[in-house]
Amino acid sequence: ESQRPSSTLMANLPGIAYRCAHDGDWTMQLISQGCLALTGYTPQQLVGNAELSFNEIIHPDDRKMIWDEIQTSLAKRQSYQLTYRIITVTGEARWVWEQGQGVFNEKGEVEALEGLITDISDRKAAEAQAQRQLETITALYEAATSLASDLDLAGLAQQVTRRFVETFGVKLARLGFEDAREGLIPLAYFHLGGTKDAQVELWRKPGFGETPSARSRRLAEPVVIEDLQAGDVPENWRQAAREGGYTTSASIPLISRGRAVGSMSLYSD
């Protein structure tokens, strides 16, 4: 009787709640009913690798990354956050986000892993669409700078950031290009509600640490942070996120001739 509330909670969780072994198969010891909706497989098929292991569901190109990231987090006794692809029972590729942590015994040995997995395929599709639009903006930027055009690039960028806020329901969209001497130059930003956003000034503040947009430009790849109050996010950036009411962020680099020349950053609650 005492386990009924937890059983009900597990059955109604969106996505997957799990407990698995720390092995190459990620052998499931416990997995919620949500795995059927997300993967097409039932808990009975996955627990104990009865018909297949969870590792077999993971996209082959993502398996090593997942193993390496989890080992690094376990060595530091930290929780882990992963974004990767799975292959459903119908052969469809889906993007998922996972957060978990190790369960250690009194000897400091890993007994199991526990965590949650949620479907983020819709968000990934939106990011892909955003990337295509940003490539267009980058092309316009190059044309404007190389041809000394009179194009109102700032005005166009302002429209783009506004469209992102209104279309994707984020609280803040910011677009900027990099300058070798001054860092990231704010080209445009749009804040839901039209209020002044303190983070615009913080772009240029010395010693502010690596922001999500800066990391995106350095890595030349999208950077998604599900929780701006966790992980290695600098404390001053966490404070700015709290003041702005932002929980998650997605930063997409603007690539020109193989180099990141700026970024678009989206923040939501």
Side-chain angles (χ1 to χ4, degrees):
E1 184 68 29
S2 64
Q3 296 198 3
R4 183 174 298 171
S6 60
S7 299
T8 302
L9 177 62
M10 287 280 286
N12 289 279
L13 275 174
I16 295 173
Y18 69 87
R19 179 185 176 98
C20 73
H22 178 221
D23 60 23
D25 289 327
W26 308 119
T27 302
M28 288 294 164
Q29 301 170 357
L30 175 68
I31 189 168
S32 66
Q33 292 291 335
C35 71
L36 178 60
L38 182 54
T39 71
Y41 297 99
T42 65
Q44 292 75 19
Q45 290 176 290
L46 294 171
V47 170
N49 304 330
E51 295 187 22
L52 76 167
S53 69
F54 192 81
N55 191 57
E56 292 176 85
I57 297 176
I58 298 171
H59 193 289
D61 292 345
D62 296 342
R63 290 171 186 170
K64 184 179 185 304
M65 175 274 294
I66 292 171
W67 176 264
D68 291 344
E69 290 285 341
I70 290 179
Q71 303 321 302
T72 299
S73 296
L74 290 175
K76 298 178 180 179
R77 294 291 189 98
Q78 295 178 346
S79 61
Y80 52 85
Q81 296 182 352
L82 306 166
T83 299
Y84 60 92
R85 294 162 292 177
I86 62 170
I87 306 298
T88 69
V89 69
T90 62
E92 175 192 3
R94 287 187 181 177
W95 283 95
V96 298
W97 178 77
E98 176 178 347
Q99 177 164 325
Q101 62 184 16
V103 178
F104 297 86
N105 61 24
E106 62 277 3
K107 297 179 180 179
E109 301 167 332
V110 181
E111 288 191 339
L113 305 176
E114 294 181 346
L116 297 170
I117 303 172
T118 57
D119 188 352
I120 59 168
S121 299
D122 289 344
R123 193 194 74 194
K124 279 290 185 178
E127 288 176 2
Q129 181 183 5
Q131 182 64 51
R132 289 192 295 269
Q133 294 177 335
L134 288 173
E135 288 171 357
T136 300
I137 292 295
T138 303
L140 288 172
Y141 168 75
E142 292 175 350
T145 54
S146 62
L147 300 177
S149 169
D150 291 331
L151 176 66
D152 181 11
L153 185 63
L156 178 61
Q158 187 68 38
Q159 294 179 33
V160 170
T161 55
R162 178 170 188 149
R163 182 66 61 85
F164 269 76
V165 169
E166 295 175 345
T167 301
F168 297 113
V170 298
K171 291 188 69 174
L172 172 69
R174 298 184 303 161
L175 176 62
F177 289 97
E178 191 169 21
D179 182 274
R181 294 168 299 177
E182 299 188 49
L184 189 66
I185 304 301
L187 182 62
Y189 78 97
F190 187 82
H191 190 289
L192 185 64
T195 59
K196 184 68 174 176
D197 189 85
Q199 295 184 42
V200 174
E201 285 72 32
L202 289 171
W203 279 5
R204 298 182 179 182
K205 182 172 288 188
F208 190 62
E210 187 177 49
T211 63
S213 58
R215 184 181 306 174
S216 175
R217 298 196 312 281
R218 176 173 61 81
L219 299 176
E221 63 183 33
V223 170
V224 176
I225 300 179
E226 296 286 345
D227 185 356
L228 287 166
Q229 301 303 317
D232 58 354
V233 179
E235 176 55 36
N236 43 13
W237 190 251
R238 294 188 190 190
Q239 181 179 349
R242 288 193 294 269
E243 291 173 355
Y246 311 126
T247 303
T248 65
S249 73
S251 297
I252 308 168
L254 304 178
I255 306 298
S256 173
R257 299 167 186 165
R259 187 176 70 87
V261 297
S263 65
M264 166 72 91
S265 296
L266 307 176
Y267 292 84
S268 59
D269 54 13

